[in-house]
Amino acid sequence: MEVESTIYNADNLGNVSLLVKPYSPISFIMSHSDSSQSESENMDSPRSYQCYGDERRKMDNKSDRLSALPDRLILHILSSFQMKDVIQIGVLSKMWRLLWTSAHNLCFSHSLESNRDVTELIKSIDDTLILSQPSKLNKFSVEFLYSNLFVDHVNKWMIFVTIKSVEVLELNLMKMRGCEEGYSLPQLMYSNVCLRKLKLSNCNLVPMEGINWPALRVLSMWYAKLSLEVVDAICSGCPGLESLKFYSDDDDNDDKELMIWARNVTSLEISGCFNEKILVLQNVEALVDAKLYFGREFRTNQKMLNDLLASLGHVEKFSIGPWCLKV
């Protein structure tokens, strides 16, 4: 089985860098860049080979250096892995068997090509959240093919996200085109002072009493139903928002105009199909980077596009899709 080897490289200042590369069989290597010569240069003479063998025998008699690392550093390393890999790594050392329960980044993913049933992933997430020990988490991320059969599970995860004061939340709830409606974010999520980054896919916002996300800096919404009320709630409830991205392929609601105003936003990306809606940008003077990518069904009048371009005339970096150019 091919796994990844982890190489720690410590400089003279004590800074540690992490390099990950494919390697088989399982091997963990700790190296220090103290000498000016490479290892191959030190191995040129018979004396070097003898010394190298002596050092290897000494190392064999010592405890595992990787296990001797502080738990905090090990957890930082494990935070870059998917949770299923983190749990599997626990078999390498008895000391690590339950270390994963202290992880501050919980990331779960189920690809469409996987032979594993998605219900197994749902159960593993439920079990992991029960055992999670930190009082505060940095990141919670899930990606799988969503069905309304799982709504109760996802609702419980959102309670967990709130209790654990999660700062980065990613809900990539994939769907088959033309299938069920997306997941609606529960009401408890619309007042959250901890969220800094929120990425939603196939999730709808239905705030009954507005939105209060004062710490939010980055918001991405894909395949969401966007109404004038929702966009207004986002703009007014996220005073510190710096990056806004949304993709919409929905034109079913009655709103004919979507007005976006966000005085602190520096990065804006709008994509999708807006056949009937008129997009209006106001108070976007802080924008530095803007992107407009509309679908091939984009047939909106020239005036709307001219108005958008006029609103974005001051940005430093501007990208436009082929269908906008065609219009």
Side-chain angles (χ1 to χ4, degrees):
M1 176 180 71
E2 184 173 295
V3 298
E4 291 181 333
S5 68
T6 308
I7 302 177
Y8 302 91
N9 194 20
D11 60 22
N12 294 332
L13 297 177
N15 297 319
V16 179
S17 59
L18 173 64
L19 305 175
V20 179
K21 65 178 183 178
Y23 193 84
S24 181
I26 296 175
S27 175
F28 294 94
I29 306 173
M30 178 76 81
S31 65
H32 297 272
S33 55
D34 295 329
S35 63
S36 59
Q37 291 180 310
S38 66
E39 185 177 77
S40 59
E41 293 173 336
N42 292 331
M43 295 286 291
D44 288 341
S45 66
R47 172 68 177 168
S48 298
Y49 283 104
Q50 181 181 355
C51 292
Y52 178 73
D54 293 341
E55 290 298 319
R56 285 296 301 270
R57 281 190 290 273
K58 290 179 181 178
M59 289 180 63
D60 291 340
N61 294 329
K62 293 182 179 180
S63 60
D64 176 18
R65 286 205 228 178
L66 190 60
S67 295
L69 290 174
D71 287 352
R72 186 173 182 179
L73 179 55
I74 296 176
L75 284 171
H76 177 71
I77 297 167
L78 297 182
S79 67
S80 62
F81 293 89
Q82 289 285 327
M83 278 307 299
K84 65 181 181 66
D85 299 319
V86 173
I87 296 173
Q88 290 174 355
I89 288 174
V91 304
L92 299 177
S93 170
K94 292 181 180 180
M95 297 175 59
W96 297 2
R97 189 163 297 169
L98 293 177
L99 186 60
W100 64 269
T101 62
S102 299
H104 286 77
N105 290 349
L106 303 183
C107 303
F108 307 86
S109 179
H110 182 273
S111 67
L112 297 176
E113 294 78 20
S114 175
N115 295 325
R116 187 184 177 199
D117 191 271
V118 68
T119 56
E120 294 182 28
L121 174 73
I122 302 299
K123 185 180 184 304
S124 67
I125 296 176
D126 289 341
D127 294 342
T128 301
L129 300 194
I130 292 174
L131 296 174
S132 179
Q133 295 183 13
S135 59
K136 180 178 175 60
L137 294 179
N138 175 54
K139 181 178 181 179
F140 179 77
S141 173
V142 294
E143 179 180 18
F144 65 95
L145 185 62
Y146 177 75
S147 165
N148 287 338
L149 296 174
F150 305 134
V151 63
D152 290 339
H153 293 274
V154 182
N155 283 340
K156 291 178 182 177
W157 302 345
M158 294 305 97
I159 296 174
F160 173 86
V161 165
T162 303
I163 294 174
K164 296 290 187 177
S165 301
V166 171
E167 296 184 359
V168 179
L169 174 60
E170 297 180 355
L171 291 180
N172 187 6
L173 308 183
M174 298 178 290
K175 71 170 183 176
M176 304 297 289
R177 179 173 285 275
C179 292
E180 309 171 33
E181 290 191 4
Y183 172 73
S184 294
L185 213 62
Q187 295 304 310
L188 65 93
M189 290 298 298
Y190 297 109
S191 182
N192 190 308
V193 298
C194 297
L195 281 176
R196 293 186 299 102
K197 182 177 180 179
L198 180 60
K199 182 179 180 180
L200 304 174
S201 179
N202 194 29
C203 298
N204 298 315
L205 301 185
V206 286
M208 297 181 65
E209 298 181 2
I211 289 176
N212 180 34
W213 294 332
L216 194 67
R217 297 294 179 266
V218 179
L219 174 61
S220 300
M221 297 178 60
W222 305 98
Y223 301 101
K225 291 184 177 181
L226 294 175
S227 65
L228 182 60
E229 182 181 3
V230 168
V231 174
D232 185 66
I234 292 173
C235 294
S236 60
C238 308
L241 193 63
E242 298 173 354
S243 176
L244 174 61
K245 300 180 182 180
F246 63 83
Y247 175 96
S248 176
D249 60 357
D250 175 69
D251 258 342
D252 293 340
N253 61 65
D254 297 330
D255 296 325
K256 298 303 180 183
E257 181 179 281
L258 285 181
M259 182 179 296
I260 300 174
W261 53 276
R263 62 181 180 275
N264 295 321
V265 171
T266 58
S267 177
L268 174 67
E269 180 176 333
I270 305 174
S271 57
C273 302
F274 298 89
N275 300 330
E276 305 297 334
K277 287 185 173 64
I278 302 298
L279 295 175
V280 179
L281 300 180
Q282 288 190 355
N283 298 327
V284 290
E285 290 80 8
L287 275 180
V288 177
D289 183 9
K291 298 179 182 179
L292 297 179
Y293 289 93
F294 298 126
R296 61 187 305 167
E297 297 86 359
F298 180 56
R299 296 185 297 273
T300 308
N301 61 53
Q302 183 78 39
K303 182 180 183 306
M304 186 197 90
L305 189 57
N306 286 341
D307 291 342
L308 289 176
L309 294 177
S311 301
L312 299 173
H314 64 283
V315 301
E316 297 178 7
K317 183 178 180 181
F318 180 64
S319 303
I320 192 169
W323 292 100
C324 289
L325 290 176
K326 186 174 182 179
V327 171

